[in-house]
Amino acid sequence: VKFGISPFGIWRPGSPPQIKGLDAFARLNADSRKWLANGWVDYLAPQLYWAIAAPETSFPVLLSWWSQQNPHERLLCPGLKSYNVGRTWAPEEIINQIRLTRRQTGAGGNVHWDMKALMRNRALCTALEREVYGENALVPATPWLERVAPGQPALNIASKRGALTASWSLAGSDKVRLWVLQTRTASKWTTQILAGHIGSIALARPAPDVLALSAIDRCGNASSPAVLEWRHAAD
């Protein structure tokens, strides 16, 4: 079980110095900084629901401060006010906040508030897919819960009647939650994330030059990849 919380984005006014707003420590009895600093949570998603350019509640300033309160390197995923797109923000505000998060040491992703903003806001969804969410991604690992990665899988390719199939298996008792299948055709890499019960997949033509497969457990630990290079001359 992974345990976490999404607290108000300001711990206390003045932390850091330029920040003003609600004192969650005093008003809400919420010492969220202590929870993160002591490693009591597996993830923390502080609600950084303010714009980049807002001086008293600056998104990047608060993001940097929170990352400095994380000595145990727990999963820090700042919450974004995505439902504000189309009200007072353009999609670029959220896009730029995601890019800032990716550049911030110690941050591991973002949480969007709320789901309707992703399901019903066409402008935001289009911008996310075009600018920052081109492919699926894994949730970062939580090695403090489990550090032993699955063993290396066995990967094979079969060609039958012009159809190519990649299949794989994992020896032993390791439990796999996800498979990550990466293929390279010419110079382009493509990543697919597949459910753990899947053991094969049809490959499109032309055959990829390289295939790499990793097993992922429930804590996000990745096995060493099994790698195959396709010999096109034998295709």
Side-chain angles (χ1 to χ4, degrees):
V1 174
K2 297 176 184 177
F3 171 76
I5 195 167
S6 180
F8 187 69
I10 299 172
W11 174 60
R12 306 204 74 173
S15 298
Q18 73 188 66
I19 296 301
K20 299 179 181 180
L22 175 73
D23 189 335
F25 178 89
R27 296 284 300 279
L28 304 179
N29 299 312
D31 194 352
S32 49
R33 176 188 177 277
K34 185 175 183 178
W35 310 335
L36 181 61
N38 286 0
W40 292 348
V41 292
D42 297 311
Y43 73 87
L44 196 80
Q47 300 168 12
L48 303 191
Y49 293 167
W50 301 282
I52 294 171
E56 295 181 354
T57 53
S58 169
F59 176 89
V61 171
L62 283 165
L63 174 61
S64 176
W65 183 86
W66 278 108
S67 70
Q68 295 169 28
Q69 317 309 310
N70 190 17
H72 294 279
E73 299 182 343
R74 296 305 190 245
L75 184 54
L76 179 64
C77 295
L80 307 181
K81 193 178 181 181
S82 300
Y83 72 83
N84 213 34
V85 172
R87 298 182 178 184
T88 60
W89 289 355
E92 288 71 25
E93 177 68 34
I94 295 297
I95 299 300
N96 290 333
Q97 290 185 7
I98 293 171
R99 287 173 172 157
L100 285 169
T101 303
R102 290 177 175 178
R103 292 198 294 267
Q104 176 61 58
T105 301
N110 294 103
V111 174
H112 292 270
W113 178 264
D114 58 9
M115 194 62 179
K116 288 186 290 186
L118 299 181
M119 299 295 290
R120 303 178 185 177
N121 192 320
R122 185 180 299 273
L124 175 60
C125 289
T126 299
L128 288 171
E129 291 179 6
R130 182 182 65 245
E131 300 291 341
V132 290
Y133 291 162
E135 292 187 354
N136 293 331
L138 294 170
V139 174
T142 52
W144 53 90
L145 296 178
E146 173 60 63
R147 293 186 178 274
V148 180
Q152 186 183 55
L155 174 63
N156 298 285
I157 299 178
S159 177
K160 186 176 182 180
R161 297 175 183 175
L164 285 177
T165 300
S167 60
W168 52 85
S169 61
L170 189 66
S173 59
D174 291 337
K175 294 184 178 180
V176 178
R177 185 178 189 186
L178 299 169
W179 301 100
V180 176
L181 180 64
Q182 296 171 288
T183 58
R184 192 195 77 197
T185 302
S187 60
K188 179 177 174 59
W189 282 95
T190 300
T191 299
Q192 293 176 271
I193 299 175
L194 307 170
H197 67 272
I198 295 175
S200 64
I201 190 172
L203 298 175
R205 294 283 187 171
D209 300 314
V210 180
L211 289 88
L213 179 77
S214 300
I216 311 294
D217 67 14
R218 288 189 62 84
C219 292
N221 298 301
S223 71
S224 298
V227 181
L228 287 180
E229 185 171 356
W230 183 255
R231 296 177 180 271
H232 288 279
D235 190 353

